[in-house]
Amino acid sequence: MEEYKIRIVKTIQYIDSHIDADLSLEKVSEVSAYSPFHFHRIFKLVTGETLQSYIIRKKIEKSALHLAVHKNMEIKDIYWDLGFSNHSVFCKTFKKYYGLAPTEFRRSAPEKFHKILQIQSKNGQVDTVFSQYICNIENLLNWTKMNLKIEVKEMPEMNLASVMSLGIANVEPSFNLLIDWAKKKSLFPRENVKMISVYHDSCKITPLDKVRIHACMLLDERLSKQEGEVFPETIDGGKYIVGSGEVTLDDFEQCWVSMFLWMNENNYSTRRTFPYEIYHTNFKEHPEGKMIVDFCIPVH
């Protein structure tokens, strides 16, 4: 489990010491030894920011230090060295963080500004900041141990009745449509009925209003043809990482990040089929909005 800490701290150290260099997602994820897709999710959960937001904030903080300490340094040289395209973009971004234009900040900055948040440890990093991130990682690991049982298992091929939803907001209406269809065919309600979400796009890559998620119901036999908006879909069986737990909707992002962390640390890679969630209970029937869910990632 220490590997999580090592990778994340190493990556943050790299960003902070190369803040004026190429810090593309591809480059930084290479340092972390995670794939760009997995790194993006992990980094945001640990730091509370996207990679791009973190980099911009660190650039602005460094520019503030220069403005306060290097009084004779041209503002143009400061923002140019940090990769800002022009004066207008730099000023607008700086004011967003400090509430002042760079010139006003320079005039009002205290002489000892450079000591703020700059208590250095032996490796040249800010102790309090790294302690915070390590604490976030520890919290994630502890949360995962308490809430998810993760294992690798063979999952069967599944025959589904599916309704496509475009955008997160349309998932619940799609399930309602599917349930109405199932009621007419006496397929719902029934004992141990399983509702499933199949992710055909990643919520981290595709905009949330365009992401494609299939609202599905597990069937005993394959649906022979499309019926209105309900169509047959088959999910391949095979090896999956399965994380099972009783969680709320707000926990889903954390569950998926935990799953991808576990996958990387145990040297699995994804297969070319779709991840999915199996719902064993209904959160609307639980007083705390919890439900029992299996989060499933197809792997080699």
Side-chain angles (χ1 to χ4, degrees):
M1 292 299 184
E2 292 297 314
E3 184 66 23
Y4 294 107
K5 297 181 188 178
I6 294 169
R7 291 198 199 190
I8 293 298
V9 171
K10 178 183 176 183
T11 304
I12 292 170
Q13 287 174 328
Y14 178 85
I15 293 171
D16 289 358
S17 60
H18 294 79
I19 199 65
D20 52 356
D22 170 32
L23 290 172
S24 64
L25 174 60
E26 289 72 21
K27 178 62 179 177
V28 177
S29 61
E30 182 181 328
V31 173
S32 74
Y34 287 117
S35 71
F37 172 68
H38 298 144
F39 174 75
H40 189 281
R41 303 175 76 111
I42 295 162
F43 187 87
K44 184 176 181 182
L45 189 72
V46 170
T47 65
E49 301 175 270
T50 64
L51 175 63
Q52 188 62 21
S53 295
Y54 179 85
I55 290 171
I56 290 173
R57 179 171 63 81
K58 298 304 289 185
K59 285 177 181 287
I60 290 298
E61 288 175 1
K62 188 170 183 179
S63 72
L65 182 63
H66 285 320
L67 287 166
V69 177
H70 305 294
K71 298 289 189 179
N72 296 323
M73 191 173 182
E74 294 285 342
I75 290 179
K76 179 180 179 181
D77 291 336
I78 292 173
Y79 72 70
W80 190 259
D81 287 346
L82 289 169
F84 288 94
S85 57
N86 59 59
H87 186 269
S88 176
V89 170
F90 172 65
C91 288
K92 184 177 180 181
T93 309
F94 190 95
K95 193 168 185 178
K96 176 183 174 184
Y97 283 87
Y98 287 99
L100 296 171
T103 50
E104 295 174 298
F105 180 89
R106 170 172 271 175
R107 282 196 298 269
S108 63
E111 290 299 322
K112 294 183 179 180
F113 175 81
H114 63 286
K115 293 183 180 179
I116 300 174
L117 292 180
Q118 294 296 317
I119 302 170
Q120 300 293 326
S121 63
K122 291 181 181 178
N123 64 3
Q125 300 301 328
V126 181
D127 284 328
T128 53
V129 172
F130 282 93
S131 295
Q132 174 194 334
Y133 294 151
I134 290 172
C135 180
N136 288 348
I137 297 168
E138 292 285 6
N139 289 342
L140 172 62
L141 297 179
N142 290 336
W143 186 92
T144 302
K145 287 178 186 176
M146 290 170 55
N147 293 278
L148 279 185
K149 177 185 177 184
I150 301 178
E151 56 188 332
V152 178
K153 60 171 69 174
E154 290 290 321
M155 296 293 282
E157 179 181 87
M158 295 190 297
N159 294 313
L160 308 174
S162 303
V163 175
M164 182 189 298
S165 60
L166 292 176
I168 291 290
N170 291 318
V171 173
E172 186 171 355
S174 294
F175 271 116
N176 291 339
L177 191 154
L178 179 63
I179 289 171
D180 288 343
W181 169 86
K183 284 179 178 178
K184 293 174 183 176
K185 300 183 75 68
S186 299
L187 296 172
F188 187 92
R190 57 191 167 95
E191 188 177 0
N192 296 324
V193 64
K194 294 292 187 295
M195 309 302 287
I196 298 170
S197 288
V198 180
Y199 289 83
H200 287 257
D201 292 316
S202 165
C203 295
K204 290 300 180 183
I205 298 172
T206 305
L208 293 181
D209 62 339
K210 295 182 173 60
V211 68
R212 184 161 55 106
I213 300 172
H214 291 181
C216 309
M217 179 182 293
L218 181 61
L219 303 177
D220 294 330
E221 298 180 0
R222 179 176 171 80
L223 188 64
S224 61
K225 62 180 182 178
Q226 183 164 341
E227 300 181 16
E229 293 186 53
V230 180
F231 57 89
E233 180 172 11
T234 301
I235 294 295
D236 292 338
K239 186 185 294 183
Y240 283 77
I241 297 173
V242 180
S244 304
E246 188 175 31
V247 296
T248 68
L249 288 172
D250 291 337
D251 296 326
F252 275 37
E253 172 70 5
Q254 190 153 284
C255 290
W256 281 114
V257 170
S258 299
M259 295 283 291
F260 283 115
L261 276 170
W262 196 96
M263 181 186 78
N264 278 277
E265 296 306 318
N266 289 276
N267 299 313
Y268 289 99
S269 58
T270 54
R271 281 189 290 121
R272 294 181 67 84
T273 188
F274 304 108
Y276 56 85
E277 298 159 352
I278 303 176
Y279 313 119
H280 297 278
T281 58
N282 187 345
F283 73 94
K284 293 182 178 180
E285 297 173 358
H286 191 283
E288 297 177 16
K290 292 183 176 181
M291 57 183 147
I292 298 173
V293 185
D294 292 340
F295 299 87
C296 306
I297 303 175
V299 294
H300 292 292

